[in-house]
Amino acid sequence: MSKSPAQRRYVRRVLIAMLGYMATLFLAEYLIDQHGLTGPLAWLVALLPGLCVASVFWAIGRLLIEETDEYLRTLLVRQMLVATGLTMVVATIYGFLENYRLVGHIDAFYLTILFFAGLGVGAAVNKLTIGDSSC
Amino acid sequence: MENRLKVLRAMRDWSQSDLAEKIEVSRQSVNAIETGRYDPSLPLAFRIAEVFDLPIEEIFVSPTRRSSKAI
């Protein structure tokens, strides 16, 4: 199945974001963890990997705006609803379990990973219910 | 929504890709509309009607009219 121009731009943006993420993550590990960087510069370096991953959400938003095919847009919205629902349900339930010290603490950025996994679940739901999935 | 897209395409010897190109959507979209898995928006339904040079109601079957006939 060929990708629409908007989907191709989305893939390119995500690839760039992931390359930026890997580069800035290594930089943060090197400067903060290994060389004990502190102060405002440590804040800046620590923010960079998160901003790179957050730019994927921007890329998803751009895909929604730039995709001219309304059916593909519908598939993407459904996919995102599944991902958002899954993430919020897990975050809420886990938050209470953690609050009552029944489970250990998990870093908040794992929710982002869960959201991306949720997009995969959303694509599967689209495939099962409509018979198609977007990207 | 039930429709006559497949028949109308066949009458003109158009493939799904041909129609997709004419109405500027993906072949995936044409397939979803044709098989009733997706109801197009009004602007897209008008675009389809214009390509076939037919009124919308001669392409898409009104769900309410269909159900009232069934009663």
Short mmCIF file of all heavy atoms in Angstrom, two decimals, chain B:
data_model
loop_
_atom_site.label_atom_id
_atom_site.label_comp_id
_atom_site.label_asym_id
_atom_site.label_seq_id
_atom_site.Cartn_x
_atom_site.Cartn_y
_atom_site.Cartn_z
N MET B 1 -22.89 3.12 4.16
CA MET B 1 -24.03 3.50 3.35
C MET B 1 -24.01 2.74 2.03
O MET B 1 -22.97 2.69 1.38
CB MET B 1 -23.99 5.01 3.08
CG MET B 1 -25.32 5.55 2.69
SD MET B 1 -25.34 7.33 2.31
CE MET B 1 -23.79 7.97 2.82
N GLU B 2 -25.18 2.18 1.67
CA GLU B 2 -25.27 1.46 0.39
C GLU B 2 -25.07 2.42 -0.77
O GLU B 2 -25.52 3.57 -0.70
CB GLU B 2 -26.65 0.82 0.25
CG GLU B 2 -26.68 -0.66 0.63
CD GLU B 2 -28.05 -1.24 0.39
OE1 GLU B 2 -28.53 -1.14 -0.75
OE2 GLU B 2 -28.62 -1.78 1.35
N ASN B 3 -24.43 1.95 -1.82
CA ASN B 3 -24.21 2.83 -2.97
C ASN B 3 -24.04 2.03 -4.26
O ASN B 3 -23.94 0.80 -4.22
CB ASN B 3 -22.97 3.69 -2.71
CG ASN B 3 -21.73 2.86 -2.51
OD1 ASN B 3 -21.17 2.35 -3.47
ND2 ASN B 3 -21.29 2.69 -1.27
N ARG B 4 -24.02 2.75 -5.38
CA ARG B 4 -23.91 2.10 -6.70
C ARG B 4 -22.54 2.35 -7.33
O ARG B 4 -22.39 2.25 -8.54
CB ARG B 4 -25.01 2.64 -7.62
CG ARG B 4 -26.43 2.32 -7.13
CD ARG B 4 -27.45 2.98 -8.03
NE ARG B 4 -27.29 2.60 -9.43
CZ ARG B 4 -27.28 3.47 -10.46
NH1 ARG B 4 -27.39 4.76 -10.22
NH2 ARG B 4 -27.13 3.07 -11.71
N LEU B 5 -21.57 2.67 -6.48
CA LEU B 5 -20.24 3.03 -7.01
C LEU B 5 -19.64 1.96 -7.91
O LEU B 5 -19.11 2.26 -8.97
CB LEU B 5 -19.28 3.33 -5.86
CG LEU B 5 -19.28 4.74 -5.28
CD1 LEU B 5 -18.19 4.89 -4.25
CD2 LEU B 5 -19.08 5.76 -6.38
N LYS B 6 -19.75 0.71 -7.46
CA LYS B 6 -19.11 -0.38 -8.21
C LYS B 6 -19.73 -0.50 -9.60
O LYS B 6 -19.01 -0.64 -10.60
CB LYS B 6 -19.26 -1.69 -7.43
CG LYS B 6 -18.37 -2.79 -7.91
CD LYS B 6 -18.40 -3.98 -7.01
CE LYS B 6 -17.48 -5.06 -7.55
NZ LYS B 6 -17.44 -6.23 -6.67
N VAL B 7 -21.06 -0.43 -9.66
CA VAL B 7 -21.77 -0.54 -10.93
C VAL B 7 -21.41 0.64 -11.84
O VAL B 7 -21.10 0.47 -13.02
CB VAL B 7 -23.30 -0.57 -10.68
CG1 VAL B 7 -24.07 -0.56 -11.99
CG2 VAL B 7 -23.68 -1.78 -9.84
N LEU B 8 -21.44 1.84 -11.25
CA LEU B 8 -21.15 3.04 -12.03
C LEU B 8 -19.72 3.03 -12.57
O LEU B 8 -19.46 3.45 -13.70
CB LEU B 8 -21.39 4.29 -11.18
CG LEU B 8 -22.86 4.55 -10.79
CD1 LEU B 8 -22.95 5.65 -9.75
CD2 LEU B 8 -23.68 4.90 -12.02
N ARG B 9 -18.81 2.52 -11.74
CA ARG B 9 -17.42 2.40 -12.19
C ARG B 9 -17.31 1.44 -13.35
O ARG B 9 -16.66 1.71 -14.36
CB ARG B 9 -16.55 1.87 -11.03
CG ARG B 9 -15.86 2.90 -10.22
CD ARG B 9 -14.73 2.34 -9.39
NE ARG B 9 -15.00 1.10 -8.68
CZ ARG B 9 -14.54 -0.07 -9.05
NH1 ARG B 9 -13.76 -0.19 -10.10
NH2 ARG B 9 -14.83 -1.15 -8.32
N ALA B 10 -17.99 0.28 -13.18
CA ALA B 10 -17.93 -0.76 -14.21
C ALA B 10 -18.49 -0.23 -15.54
O ALA B 10 -17.94 -0.52 -16.61
CB ALA B 10 -18.71 -1.98 -13.74
N MET B 11 -19.57 0.57 -15.45
CA MET B 11 -20.18 1.13 -16.67
C MET B 11 -19.20 2.02 -17.43
O MET B 11 -19.26 2.14 -18.65
CB MET B 11 -21.43 1.93 -16.30
CG MET B 11 -22.63 1.06 -15.96
SD MET B 11 -23.95 1.98 -15.13
CE MET B 11 -24.48 3.07 -16.42
N ARG B 12 -18.30 2.65 -16.68
CA ARG B 12 -17.33 3.56 -17.31
C ARG B 12 -15.96 2.89 -17.51
O ARG B 12 -15.02 3.53 -17.95
CB ARG B 12 -17.18 4.82 -16.45
CG ARG B 12 -18.38 5.74 -16.55
CD ARG B 12 -18.47 6.65 -15.35
NE ARG B 12 -19.62 7.55 -15.44
CZ ARG B 12 -20.87 7.20 -15.16
NH1 ARG B 12 -21.14 5.94 -14.80
NH2 ARG B 12 -21.87 8.06 -15.26
N ASP B 13 -15.90 1.63 -17.08
CA ASP B 13 -14.65 0.87 -17.18
C ASP B 13 -13.52 1.53 -16.38
O ASP B 13 -12.39 1.61 -16.84
CB ASP B 13 -14.26 0.69 -18.66
CG ASP B 13 -13.33 -0.51 -18.84
OD1 ASP B 13 -13.31 -1.38 -17.95
OD2 ASP B 13 -12.60 -0.55 -19.85
N TRP B 14 -13.87 2.04 -15.21
CA TRP B 14 -12.88 2.66 -14.32
C TRP B 14 -12.49 1.69 -13.22
O TRP B 14 -13.36 1.01 -12.66
CB TRP B 14 -13.45 3.91 -13.64
CG TRP B 14 -13.71 5.07 -14.53
CD1 TRP B 14 -13.31 5.24 -15.83
CD2 TRP B 14 -14.47 6.25 -14.19
NE1 TRP B 14 -13.75 6.44 -16.31
CE2 TRP B 14 -14.46 7.09 -15.34
CE3 TRP B 14 -15.12 6.68 -13.04
CZ2 TRP B 14 -15.10 8.32 -15.36
CZ3 TRP B 14 -15.76 7.92 -13.07
CH2 TRP B 14 -15.75 8.73 -14.21
N SER B 15 -11.22 1.65 -12.90
CA SER B 15 -10.78 0.87 -11.74
C SER B 15 -10.95 1.73 -10.48
O SER B 15 -11.22 2.94 -10.60
CB SER B 15 -9.30 0.48 -11.90
OG SER B 15 -8.52 1.66 -11.85
N GLN B 16 -10.78 1.12 -9.32
CA GLN B 16 -10.85 1.90 -8.08
C GLN B 16 -9.77 2.99 -8.09
O GLN B 16 -10.00 4.11 -7.64
CB GLN B 16 -10.66 1.00 -6.87
CG GLN B 16 -11.89 0.15 -6.56
CD GLN B 16 -11.77 -0.59 -5.24
OE1 GLN B 16 -10.67 -0.76 -4.70
NE2 GLN B 16 -12.89 -1.06 -4.72
N SER B 17 -8.60 2.64 -8.62
CA SER B 17 -7.50 3.62 -8.68
C SER B 17 -7.86 4.79 -9.59
O SER B 17 -7.54 5.94 -9.29
CB SER B 17 -6.22 2.97 -9.18
OG SER B 17 -5.88 1.90 -8.35
N ASP B 18 -8.54 4.49 -10.72
CA ASP B 18 -8.96 5.57 -11.64
C ASP B 18 -9.87 6.55 -10.91
O ASP B 18 -9.69 7.76 -10.99
CB ASP B 18 -9.70 4.99 -12.85
CG ASP B 18 -8.81 4.15 -13.75
OD1 ASP B 18 -7.58 4.39 -13.74
OD2 ASP B 18 -9.33 3.25 -14.43
N LEU B 19 -10.85 5.99 -10.20
CA LEU B 19 -11.81 6.85 -9.49
C LEU B 19 -11.10 7.63 -8.38
O LEU B 19 -11.34 8.82 -8.19
CB LEU B 19 -12.95 6.00 -8.91
CG LEU B 19 -13.99 6.77 -8.09
CD1 LEU B 19 -14.64 7.87 -8.92
CD2 LEU B 19 -15.07 5.83 -7.55
N ALA B 20 -10.20 6.92 -7.68
CA ALA B 20 -9.46 7.57 -6.59
C ALA B 20 -8.69 8.78 -7.11
O ALA B 20 -8.67 9.84 -6.49
CB ALA B 20 -8.51 6.57 -5.95
N GLU B 21 -8.09 8.61 -8.29
CA GLU B 21 -7.32 9.70 -8.88
C GLU B 21 -8.23 10.87 -9.25
O GLU B 21 -7.90 12.03 -9.02
CB GLU B 21 -6.62 9.17 -10.14
CG GLU B 21 -5.41 9.99 -10.54
CD GLU B 21 -4.69 9.35 -11.73
OE1 GLU B 21 -4.37 8.14 -11.66
OE2 GLU B 21 -4.49 10.06 -12.72
N LYS B 22 -9.40 10.55 -9.79
CA LYS B 22 -10.34 11.61 -10.21
C LYS B 22 -10.88 12.41 -9.03
O LYS B 22 -11.09 13.61 -9.14
CB LYS B 22 -11.51 10.99 -10.99
CG LYS B 22 -11.14 10.49 -12.38
CD LYS B 22 -12.32 9.82 -13.06
CE LYS B 22 -11.89 8.96 -14.22
NZ LYS B 22 -11.22 9.69 -15.29
N ILE B 23 -11.12 11.74 -7.90
CA ILE B 23 -11.69 12.48 -6.75
C ILE B 23 -10.61 12.83 -5.73
O ILE B 23 -10.91 13.33 -4.64
CB ILE B 23 -12.85 11.70 -6.08
CG1 ILE B 23 -12.40 10.31 -5.59
CG2 ILE B 23 -14.03 11.56 -7.03
CD1 ILE B 23 -13.46 9.57 -4.80
N GLU B 24 -9.35 12.55 -6.07
CA GLU B 24 -8.18 12.95 -5.26
C GLU B 24 -8.20 12.37 -3.85
O GLU B 24 -8.04 13.10 -2.87
CB GLU B 24 -8.05 14.48 -5.23
CG GLU B 24 -7.76 15.05 -6.61
CD GLU B 24 -7.78 16.58 -6.63
OE1 GLU B 24 -8.39 17.17 -5.74
OE2 GLU B 24 -7.18 17.14 -7.55
N VAL B 25 -8.45 11.07 -3.78
CA VAL B 25 -8.31 10.35 -2.50
C VAL B 25 -7.53 9.07 -2.77
O VAL B 25 -7.20 8.77 -3.92
CB VAL B 25 -9.69 10.00 -1.86
CG1 VAL B 25 -10.49 11.24 -1.53
CG2 VAL B 25 -10.49 9.07 -2.76
N SER B 26 -7.25 8.30 -1.71
CA SER B 26 -6.52 7.05 -1.90
C SER B 26 -7.46 5.96 -2.41
O SER B 26 -8.69 6.04 -2.24
CB SER B 26 -5.92 6.62 -0.56
OG SER B 26 -6.95 6.41 0.37
N ARG B 27 -6.87 4.94 -3.02
CA ARG B 27 -7.67 3.80 -3.49
C ARG B 27 -8.34 3.11 -2.30
O ARG B 27 -9.46 2.61 -2.38
CB ARG B 27 -6.78 2.79 -4.24
CG ARG B 27 -7.54 1.77 -5.07
CD ARG B 27 -6.70 0.56 -5.36
NE ARG B 27 -6.21 -0.08 -4.14
CZ ARG B 27 -6.93 -0.87 -3.36
NH1 ARG B 27 -8.19 -1.11 -3.64
NH2 ARG B 27 -6.42 -1.41 -2.26
N GLN B 28 -7.61 3.15 -1.17
CA GLN B 28 -8.12 2.61 0.09
C GLN B 28 -9.48 3.27 0.45
O GLN B 28 -10.41 2.60 0.88
CB GLN B 28 -7.11 2.98 1.17
CG GLN B 28 -6.87 1.94 2.24
CD GLN B 28 -5.80 2.45 3.22
OE1 GLN B 28 -4.99 3.33 2.89
NE2 GLN B 28 -5.77 1.91 4.42
N SER B 29 -9.55 4.58 0.25
CA SER B 29 -10.78 5.33 0.56
C SER B 29 -11.92 4.91 -0.36
O SER B 29 -13.04 4.69 0.09
CB SER B 29 -10.56 6.83 0.41
OG SER B 29 -9.54 7.25 1.25
N VAL B 30 -11.61 4.80 -1.66
CA VAL B 30 -12.64 4.40 -2.62
C VAL B 30 -13.18 3.03 -2.25
O VAL B 30 -14.40 2.81 -2.22
CB VAL B 30 -12.07 4.39 -4.07
CG1 VAL B 30 -13.03 3.72 -5.03
CG2 VAL B 30 -11.76 5.80 -4.53
N ASN B 31 -12.28 2.13 -1.91
CA ASN B 31 -12.69 0.77 -1.52
C ASN B 31 -13.58 0.81 -0.28
O ASN B 31 -14.60 0.12 -0.22
CB ASN B 31 -11.44 -0.08 -1.28
CG ASN B 31 -11.79 -1.52 -1.00
OD1 ASN B 31 -11.82 -1.96 0.13
ND2 ASN B 31 -12.10 -2.26 -2.05
N ALA B 32 -13.20 1.62 0.71
CA ALA B 32 -13.97 1.70 1.96
C ALA B 32 -15.36 2.28 1.71
O ALA B 32 -16.35 1.83 2.29
CB ALA B 32 -13.22 2.54 2.99
N ILE B 33 -15.45 3.28 0.82
CA ILE B 33 -16.75 3.90 0.51
C ILE B 33 -17.61 2.91 -0.28
O ILE B 33 -18.77 2.68 0.04
CB ILE B 33 -16.56 5.21 -0.29
CG1 ILE B 33 -15.83 6.26 0.56
CG2 ILE B 33 -17.91 5.77 -0.75
CD1 ILE B 33 -15.34 7.47 -0.21
N GLU B 34 -16.98 2.29 -1.27
CA GLU B 34 -17.70 1.37 -2.15
C GLU B 34 -18.29 0.19 -1.38
O GLU B 34 -19.40 -0.26 -1.66
CB GLU B 34 -16.72 0.87 -3.22
CG GLU B 34 -17.37 0.22 -4.39
CD GLU B 34 -16.35 -0.02 -5.50
OE1 GLU B 34 -15.89 0.96 -6.11
OE2 GLU B 34 -16.00 -1.18 -5.75
N THR B 35 -17.55 -0.30 -0.40
CA THR B 35 -18.01 -1.47 0.35
C THR B 35 -18.86 -1.08 1.57
O THR B 35 -19.22 -1.92 2.37
CB THR B 35 -16.81 -2.32 0.83
OG1 THR B 35 -15.89 -1.45 1.50
CG2 THR B 35 -16.10 -3.00 -0.32
N GLY B 36 -19.15 0.24 1.68
CA GLY B 36 -20.03 0.70 2.76
C GLY B 36 -19.39 0.74 4.12
O GLY B 36 -20.07 0.87 5.14
N ARG B 37 -18.06 0.63 4.16
CA ARG B 37 -17.37 0.67 5.47
C ARG B 37 -17.12 2.10 5.92
O ARG B 37 -16.80 2.35 7.07
CB ARG B 37 -16.03 -0.09 5.38
CG ARG B 37 -16.21 -1.59 5.28
CD ARG B 37 -14.88 -2.32 5.20
NE ARG B 37 -14.21 -2.09 3.93
CZ ARG B 37 -13.01 -1.55 3.80
NH1 ARG B 37 -12.33 -1.17 4.87
NH2 ARG B 37 -12.46 -1.38 2.61
N TYR B 38 -17.23 3.04 5.01
CA TYR B 38 -17.02 4.46 5.36
C TYR B 38 -18.01 5.33 4.59
O TYR B 38 -18.16 5.18 3.38
CB TYR B 38 -15.58 4.87 5.02
CG TYR B 38 -15.31 6.33 5.26
CD1 TYR B 38 -15.25 6.84 6.56
CD2 TYR B 38 -15.15 7.22 4.20
CE1 TYR B 38 -15.02 8.19 6.78
CE2 TYR B 38 -14.92 8.57 4.42
CZ TYR B 38 -14.86 9.04 5.71
OH TYR B 38 -14.65 10.37 5.95
N ASP B 39 -18.68 6.23 5.32
CA ASP B 39 -19.60 7.18 4.69
C ASP B 39 -18.84 8.47 4.39
O ASP B 39 -18.32 9.10 5.31
CB ASP B 39 -20.77 7.51 5.62
CG ASP B 39 -21.65 6.30 5.86
OD1 ASP B 39 -21.59 5.36 5.04
OD2 ASP B 39 -22.37 6.27 6.88
N PRO B 40 -18.78 8.87 3.13
CA PRO B 40 -18.02 10.09 2.80
C PRO B 40 -18.70 11.34 3.34
O PRO B 40 -19.91 11.35 3.56
CB PRO B 40 -18.02 10.10 1.27
CG PRO B 40 -19.24 9.35 0.88
CD PRO B 40 -19.43 8.30 1.94
N SER B 41 -17.90 12.38 3.53
CA SER B 41 -18.45 13.68 3.95
C SER B 41 -19.28 14.23 2.79
O SER B 41 -19.16 13.75 1.65
CB SER B 41 -17.32 14.65 4.27
OG SER B 41 -16.60 14.94 3.09
N LEU B 42 -20.07 15.25 3.06
CA LEU B 42 -20.89 15.84 2.01
C LEU B 42 -20.02 16.40 0.86
O LEU B 42 -20.32 16.14 -0.31
CB LEU B 42 -21.78 16.93 2.62
CG LEU B 42 -23.09 17.22 1.89
CD1 LEU B 42 -23.83 15.95 1.52
CD2 LEU B 42 -23.95 18.13 2.72
N PRO B 43 -18.93 17.15 1.17
CA PRO B 43 -18.10 17.64 0.05
C PRO B 43 -17.55 16.51 -0.82
O PRO B 43 -17.53 16.62 -2.05
CB PRO B 43 -16.96 18.39 0.76
CG PRO B 43 -17.52 18.78 2.08
CD PRO B 43 -18.46 17.69 2.46
N LEU B 44 -17.12 15.40 -0.19
CA LEU B 44 -16.58 14.29 -0.97
C LEU B 44 -17.69 13.60 -1.77
O LEU B 44 -17.49 13.22 -2.93
CB LEU B 44 -15.86 13.28 -0.05
CG LEU B 44 -15.22 12.08 -0.74
CD1 LEU B 44 -14.27 12.50 -1.86
CD2 LEU B 44 -14.45 11.22 0.28
N ALA B 45 -18.88 13.48 -1.17
CA ALA B 45 -20.01 12.88 -1.88
C ALA B 45 -20.36 13.73 -3.11
O ALA B 45 -20.63 13.20 -4.20
CB ALA B 45 -21.21 12.77 -0.95
N PHE B 46 -20.30 15.05 -2.96
CA PHE B 46 -20.56 15.94 -4.10
C PHE B 46 -19.50 15.76 -5.19
O PHE B 46 -19.80 15.75 -6.38
CB PHE B 46 -20.59 17.41 -3.65
CG PHE B 46 -21.97 17.88 -3.24
CD1 PHE B 46 -22.25 18.20 -1.92
CD2 PHE B 46 -22.99 17.98 -4.19
CE1 PHE B 46 -23.53 18.62 -1.55
CE2 PHE B 46 -24.26 18.41 -3.82
CZ PHE B 46 -24.53 18.73 -2.50
N ARG B 47 -18.23 15.61 -4.74
CA ARG B 47 -17.14 15.42 -5.70
C ARG B 47 -17.38 14.14 -6.51
O ARG B 47 -17.17 14.11 -7.72
CB ARG B 47 -15.81 15.36 -4.94
CG ARG B 47 -14.67 15.95 -5.75
CD ARG B 47 -13.61 16.58 -4.88
NE ARG B 47 -12.82 15.63 -4.13
CZ ARG B 47 -12.48 15.79 -2.84
NH1 ARG B 47 -12.90 16.85 -2.20
NH2 ARG B 47 -11.75 14.91 -2.22
N ILE B 48 -17.79 13.08 -5.80
CA ILE B 48 -18.05 11.80 -6.47
C ILE B 48 -19.20 11.98 -7.48
O ILE B 48 -19.12 11.54 -8.62
CB ILE B 48 -18.39 10.71 -5.42
CG1 ILE B 48 -17.16 10.41 -4.56
CG2 ILE B 48 -18.88 9.44 -6.10
CD1 ILE B 48 -17.44 9.56 -3.32
N ALA B 49 -20.24 12.68 -7.02
CA ALA B 49 -21.40 12.90 -7.89
C ALA B 49 -21.00 13.67 -9.15
O ALA B 49 -21.45 13.37 -10.26
CB ALA B 49 -22.48 13.64 -7.12
N GLU B 50 -20.15 14.67 -8.97
CA GLU B 50 -19.71 15.49 -10.11
C GLU B 50 -18.89 14.67 -11.11
O GLU B 50 -19.04 14.82 -12.32
CB GLU B 50 -18.90 16.69 -9.61
CG GLU B 50 -19.79 17.80 -9.05
CD GLU B 50 -19.05 18.72 -8.10
OE1 GLU B 50 -17.80 18.68 -8.06
OE2 GLU B 50 -19.74 19.46 -7.36
N VAL B 51 -18.05 13.77 -10.57
CA VAL B 51 -17.22 12.94 -11.45
C VAL B 51 -18.12 12.02 -12.30
O VAL B 51 -17.86 11.81 -13.48
CB VAL B 51 -16.21 12.13 -10.59
CG1 VAL B 51 -15.67 10.96 -11.36
CG2 VAL B 51 -15.07 13.03 -10.16
N PHE B 52 -19.19 11.50 -11.68
CA PHE B 52 -20.11 10.62 -12.42
C PHE B 52 -21.18 11.41 -13.18
O PHE B 52 -21.97 10.82 -13.91
CB PHE B 52 -20.77 9.63 -11.45
CG PHE B 52 -19.86 8.51 -11.02
CD1 PHE B 52 -19.44 8.41 -9.69
CD2 PHE B 52 -19.40 7.56 -11.93
CE1 PHE B 52 -18.60 7.39 -9.29
CE2 PHE B 52 -18.56 6.53 -11.54
CZ PHE B 52 -18.16 6.45 -10.22
N ASP B 53 -21.22 12.71 -12.93
CA ASP B 53 -22.22 13.58 -13.54
C ASP B 53 -23.65 13.10 -13.22
O ASP B 53 -24.51 12.99 -14.10
CB ASP B 53 -22.00 13.64 -15.07
CG ASP B 53 -22.64 14.88 -15.68
OD1 ASP B 53 -22.92 15.83 -14.92
OD2 ASP B 53 -22.89 14.88 -16.90
N LEU B 54 -23.86 12.78 -11.95
CA LEU B 54 -25.16 12.29 -11.49
C LEU B 54 -25.51 12.98 -10.17
O LEU B 54 -24.62 13.43 -9.46
CB LEU B 54 -25.09 10.77 -11.22
CG LEU B 54 -25.00 9.82 -12.42
CD1 LEU B 54 -24.68 8.42 -11.94
CD2 LEU B 54 -26.30 9.83 -13.22
N PRO B 55 -26.80 13.06 -9.83
CA PRO B 55 -27.14 13.59 -8.50
C PRO B 55 -26.71 12.60 -7.41
O PRO B 55 -26.68 11.39 -7.67
CB PRO B 55 -28.66 13.74 -8.54
CG PRO B 55 -29.12 13.15 -9.80
CD PRO B 55 -27.97 12.74 -10.64
N ILE B 56 -26.43 13.11 -6.23
CA ILE B 56 -25.93 12.26 -5.12
C ILE B 56 -26.86 11.07 -4.87
O ILE B 56 -26.42 9.94 -4.68
CB ILE B 56 -25.76 13.10 -3.83
CG1 ILE B 56 -24.55 14.02 -3.98
CG2 ILE B 56 -25.58 12.20 -2.61
CD1 ILE B 56 -24.25 14.88 -2.77
N GLU B 57 -28.18 11.34 -4.89
CA GLU B 57 -29.13 10.28 -4.54
C GLU B 57 -29.19 9.15 -5.58
O GLU B 57 -29.76 8.10 -5.31
CB GLU B 57 -30.52 10.85 -4.25
CG GLU B 57 -31.14 11.65 -5.38
CD GLU B 57 -30.80 13.13 -5.29
OE1 GLU B 57 -29.70 13.48 -4.78
OE2 GLU B 57 -31.62 13.96 -5.74
N GLU B 58 -28.58 9.37 -6.73
CA GLU B 58 -28.51 8.27 -7.71
C GLU B 58 -27.25 7.42 -7.51
O GLU B 58 -27.05 6.43 -8.18
CB GLU B 58 -28.56 8.83 -9.14
CG GLU B 58 -29.97 9.20 -9.56
CD GLU B 58 -30.09 9.54 -11.02
OE1 GLU B 58 -29.32 8.98 -11.83
OE2 GLU B 58 -30.94 10.39 -11.34
N ILE B 59 -26.41 7.86 -6.58
CA ILE B 59 -25.18 7.11 -6.29
C ILE B 59 -25.29 6.46 -4.91
O ILE B 59 -25.00 5.28 -4.73
CB ILE B 59 -23.95 8.04 -6.34
CG1 ILE B 59 -23.83 8.67 -7.72
CG2 ILE B 59 -22.68 7.27 -6.00
CD1 ILE B 59 -22.77 9.74 -7.83
N PHE B 60 -25.75 7.26 -3.94
CA PHE B 60 -25.86 6.75 -2.57
C PHE B 60 -27.33 6.53 -2.21
O PHE B 60 -28.18 7.34 -2.55
CB PHE B 60 -25.24 7.75 -1.58
CG PHE B 60 -23.76 7.91 -1.78
CD1 PHE B 60 -23.26 8.97 -2.52
CD2 PHE B 60 -22.86 6.98 -1.27
CE1 PHE B 60 -21.90 9.12 -2.73
CE2 PHE B 60 -21.50 7.11 -1.48
CZ PHE B 60 -21.01 8.18 -2.22
N VAL B 61 -27.56 5.41 -1.50
CA VAL B 61 -28.93 5.09 -1.09
C VAL B 61 -29.16 5.70 0.29
O VAL B 61 -28.41 5.42 1.24
CB VAL B 61 -29.12 3.55 -1.01
CG1 VAL B 61 -30.54 3.20 -0.58
CG2 VAL B 61 -28.78 2.91 -2.35
N SER B 62 -30.18 6.54 0.39
CA SER B 62 -30.48 7.19 1.67
C SER B 62 -30.84 6.13 2.72
O SER B 62 -31.74 5.33 2.49
CB SER B 62 -31.65 8.15 1.49
OG SER B 62 -32.26 8.39 2.73
N PRO B 63 -30.15 6.12 3.87
CA PRO B 63 -30.45 5.11 4.89
C PRO B 63 -31.88 5.24 5.43
O PRO B 63 -32.52 4.24 5.70
CB PRO B 63 -29.44 5.41 6.01
CG PRO B 63 -28.44 6.35 5.42
CD PRO B 63 -29.09 7.03 4.27
N THR B 64 -32.38 6.47 5.53
CA THR B 64 -33.75 6.64 6.06
C THR B 64 -34.79 6.18 5.05
O THR B 64 -35.75 5.51 5.39
CB THR B 64 -34.02 8.12 6.40
OG1 THR B 64 -33.60 8.92 5.31
CG2 THR B 64 -33.28 8.54 7.65
N ARG B 65 -34.58 6.53 3.79
CA ARG B 65 -35.52 6.09 2.76
C ARG B 65 -35.54 4.57 2.65
O ARG B 65 -36.57 3.95 2.51
CB ARG B 65 -35.14 6.71 1.42
CG ARG B 65 -36.20 6.55 0.37
CD ARG B 65 -36.02 7.50 -0.76
NE ARG B 65 -36.25 8.88 -0.36
CZ ARG B 65 -36.18 9.91 -1.18
NH1 ARG B 65 -35.83 9.74 -2.42
NH2 ARG B 65 -36.42 11.15 -0.76
N ARG B 66 -34.36 4.01 2.79
CA ARG B 66 -34.22 2.56 2.70
C ARG B 66 -34.99 1.88 3.83
O ARG B 66 -35.73 0.94 3.64
CB ARG B 66 -32.75 2.19 2.76
CG ARG B 66 -32.47 0.75 2.42
CD ARG B 66 -30.97 0.50 2.35
NE ARG B 66 -30.75 -0.92 2.46
CZ ARG B 66 -30.53 -1.54 3.58
NH1 ARG B 66 -30.49 -0.86 4.71
NH2 ARG B 66 -30.34 -2.84 3.63
N SER B 67 -34.84 2.44 5.10
CA SER B 67 -35.50 1.82 6.24
C SER B 67 -37.01 2.03 6.19
O SER B 67 -37.78 1.16 6.57
CB SER B 67 -34.93 2.35 7.55
OG SER B 67 -35.11 3.73 7.61
N SER B 68 -37.48 3.22 5.65
CA SER B 68 -38.91 3.44 5.59
C SER B 68 -39.55 2.52 4.55
O SER B 68 -40.68 2.07 4.71
CB SER B 68 -39.23 4.91 5.26
OG SER B 68 -38.70 5.23 4.00
N LYS B 69 -38.77 2.20 3.48
CA LYS B 69 -39.27 1.26 2.49
C LYS B 69 -39.44 -0.13 3.11
O LYS B 69 -40.37 -0.85 2.83
CB LYS B 69 -38.30 1.18 1.31
CG LYS B 69 -38.63 2.16 0.19
CD LYS B 69 -37.69 1.94 -0.97
CE LYS B 69 -37.87 3.03 -2.02
NZ LYS B 69 -36.81 2.97 -3.03
N ALA B 70 -38.47 -0.45 3.99
CA ALA B 70 -38.48 -1.77 4.63
C ALA B 70 -39.72 -1.93 5.51
O ALA B 70 -40.29 -3.00 5.64
CB ALA B 70 -37.23 -1.97 5.44
N ILE B 71 -40.16 -0.79 6.14
CA ILE B 71 -41.34 -0.82 7.00
C ILE B 71 -42.57 -0.98 6.11
O ILE B 71 -43.39 -1.81 6.22
CB ILE B 71 -41.47 0.49 7.83
CG1 ILE B 71 -40.29 0.57 8.82
CG2 ILE B 71 -42.78 0.52 8.62
CD1 ILE B 71 -40.09 1.93 9.44
#
